[in-house]
Amino acid sequence: MDVPELLSPIEIRNRAANLKNWSVLEDHSLVAVFEFRDFTHALEFTIKVGLIAEEMQHHPEINLSWGKVAMEITTNDRGGLTELDFLFANKINELLK
């Protein structure tokens, strides 16, 4: 799979305006913290994210703790944000519906 091109700061802001639950960190990555009622639900969510990551071959940084999952997404091969990162974040958001 070809690595997508880096997005410009304007493109990042435009895409981020339509992306719930996520914040842009220094035009370099998307970050989010998801809260759950206990560890089991947080773990189940993390496993589902992992399956999407494997399917997309795009792997986030994940920090799992009791009732909380913190995540950071970036395209390491490009050193910043690409369309792939926003697509991945939207797929993660779909898990919350």
Side-chain angles (χ1 to χ4, degrees):
M1 174 170 63
D2 292 332
V3 179
E5 294 298 316
L6 278 176
L7 297 174
S8 72
I10 291 171
E11 291 171 315
I12 291 169
R13 279 191 291 283
N14 288 341
R15 284 172 174 78
N18 298 315
L19 185 64
K20 293 181 182 178
N21 304 318
W22 295 85
S23 298
V24 176
L25 182 63
E26 298 176 358
D27 287 342
H28 180 269
S29 57
L30 296 174
V31 294
V33 176
F34 302 95
E35 294 188 11
F36 300 90
R37 65 177 177 236
D38 56 30
F39 184 81
T40 301
H41 286 89
L43 177 60
E44 288 172 352
F45 175 76
T46 302
I47 291 168
K48 290 175 184 176
V49 169
L51 293 172
I52 293 169
E54 279 297 294
E55 177 185 305
M56 294 182 70
Q57 287 299 299
H58 194 54
H59 303 93
E61 295 288 326
I62 300 174
N63 184 344
L64 168 65
S65 59
W66 195 95
K68 191 181 291 186
V69 178
M71 214 170 297
E72 183 172 344
I73 302 171
T74 191
T75 301
N76 291 316
D77 293 350
R78 290 288 186 215
L81 288 168
T82 68
E83 184 63 36
L84 185 60
D85 300 304
F86 286 90
L87 177 62
F88 190 29
N90 278 310
K91 286 184 179 240
I92 292 168
N93 283 348
E94 287 294 315
L95 295 174
L96 301 170
K97 292 183 178 180

